[in-house]
Amino acid sequence: MGLGIAHAFAVSGFRVSLVDVKAEQLRKAEAAIHGIVAEGISRGKVDGAMADLVRSRLETTTDLDGSVGSADLVVETATENLPVKLQILEAVDRAVSKDAVIATNTSALSITELAAVTQAPERVIGMHFFNPVHKMKLVEIIKGIATSASTVEQVQAWSAAIGKTSIIVNESPGFTTSRISALLGNEAMWMLSEGVATAEDIDTSLRLAFNHPMGPLELGDLTGWDTRLSVIKYLHQTFGEKYRPCPLITKMVAAGRFGRKVGHGVYKYENGVKVPGSGLKPS
């Protein structure tokens, strides 16, 4: 997700620093960003000079403090783990200028709770992108209890500048999209575990009956079932029984079958491409 957001800003004319604790992850992210640009050029959707422009605008670093001091906007994209996010946001808050906006790409966590570890919660906001970022047009902008109107306006302007449509959401667990998507993906996994239909047929039904670009099991593989499980557990704690996680999701995460990023989820993947007929068959 972080590399997709970095790509979106870099191709839109912004200078971007992509930060991670692991240099190897940064190398992979940089290669993926240039791959997205190259694909756009090959399809005639992106000007051929864009590859050089993105290279000149993008830097990667493991030095958080040194990279965010001059930033106008910092977008945190760590996994859906509250202690991890709080630690990162505390570090960002210490390093940024007093006028910088701090955004979090959380799918479900409380913006108010995340902002509380900073010295200026009025400049903290949710900025929820969708995967793959270069294809998905929506950004959910989520206001915490202290988020200022000025911060909202700035993030709306940044979203428009990178070609995204934004909606404003008053903080609620799961916001709009994660609440609905969690129910859909969880129910699809219940149907799979009950033997109602194969993984392939469940996904095909949603694509063709409701014109979804991908089925809920394919989407879970793309998002990552570890992330999905964190979200559904949080919603279950908040909203009750209707969000009880399907045990099959818990089993898959315990087995390390997180999805496309590890090559195996509901489906198997080779070089990021789904292997036909590889859908999970529960015992």
Side-chain angles (χ1 to χ4, degrees), residues 1-11 16-20 25-26 28-34 36 58-60 74-79 85 103-106 127-134 162 222-223 227 261:
M1 185 62 77
L3 72 88
I5 296 169
H7 164 270
F9 278 95
V11 298
V16 179
S17 291
L18 185 59
V19 185
D20 197 279
Q25 287 300 109
L26 290 170
K28 290 179 180 179
E30 190 172 22
I33 289 170
H34 295 311
I36 295 170
L58 176 69
E59 69 170 8
T60 60
V74 178
V75 184
E76 171 273 316
T77 64
T79 187
K85 285 185 177 289
T104 173
N105 184 56
T106 179
M127 199 175 186
H128 184 203
F129 289 81
F130 299 85
N131 220 346
V133 178
H134 65 288
I162 61 173
L222 178 63
T223 303
T227 299
K261 61 187 175 184

Side-chain angles (χ1 to χ4, degrees), residues 70-152:
S70 61
D72 297 316
L73 170 67
V74 178
V75 184
E76 171 273 316
T77 64
T79 187
E80 291 291 281
N81 181 303
L82 182 61
V84 170
K85 285 185 177 289
L86 291 174
Q87 183 179 12
I88 292 171
L89 291 173
E90 280 186 295
V92 169
D93 184 58
R94 290 193 299 266
V96 294
S97 72
K98 62 180 180 62
D99 297 320
V101 170
I102 302 173
T104 173
N105 184 56
T106 179
S107 300
L109 298 177
S110 166
I111 307 303
T112 297
E113 187 172 0
L114 291 168
V117 299
T118 71
Q119 298 300 308
E122 66 275 6
R123 67 177 177 178
V124 181
I125 196 167
M127 199 175 186
H128 184 203
F129 289 81
F130 299 85
N131 220 346
V133 178
H134 65 288
K135 294 182 179 180
M136 304 298 283
K137 289 292 187 181
L138 182 67
V139 174
E140 273 185 310
I141 297 174
I142 306 100
K143 299 187 295 183
I145 193 171
T147 305
S148 69
S150 172
T151 297
V152 173

Side-chain angles (χ1 to χ4, degrees), residues 249-258 262 264:
I249 301 177
T250 304
K251 289 180 181 179
M252 283 180 49
V253 172
R257 294 175 60 160
F258 301 153
V262 298
H264 203 181

Side-chain angles (χ1 to χ4, degrees), residues 192 198-201 203 217 221 257 264-268 274-282:
L192 179 61
T198 67
E200 288 85 352
D201 284 349
D203 281 334
L217 302 175
D221 273 3
R257 294 175 60 160
H264 203 181
V266 172
Y267 302 96
K268 292 182 179 179
K274 185 175 72 174
V275 176
S278 65
L280 179 66
K281 297 174 178 60

Side-chain angles (χ1 to χ4, degrees), residues 168-179:
I168 307 299
V169 181
N170 292 314
E171 182 180 296
S172 176
F175 319 135
T176 59
T177 57
S178 292
R179 262 176 91 166

Side-chain angles (χ1 to χ4, degrees), residues 162-230:
I162 61 173
K164 305 300 183 186
T165 298
S166 62
I167 63 169
I168 307 299
V169 181
N170 292 314
E171 182 180 296
S172 176
F175 319 135
T176 59
T177 57
S178 292
R179 262 176 91 166
I180 295 169
S181 182
L183 275 178
L184 187 61
N186 200 45
E187 187 62 26
M189 288 295 272
W190 277 110
M191 290 193 293
L192 179 61
S193 65
E194 293 164 4
V196 173
T198 67
E200 288 85 352
D201 284 349
I202 291 170
D203 281 334
T204 298
S205 70
L206 270 292
R207 288 198 308 270
L208 300 187
F210 300 110
N211 205 28
H212 291 187
M214 65 176 63
L217 302 175
E218 295 169 314
L219 181 59
D221 273 3
L222 178 63
T223 303
W225 290 105
D226 51 337
T227 299
R228 278 299 178 95
L229 183 59
S230 295

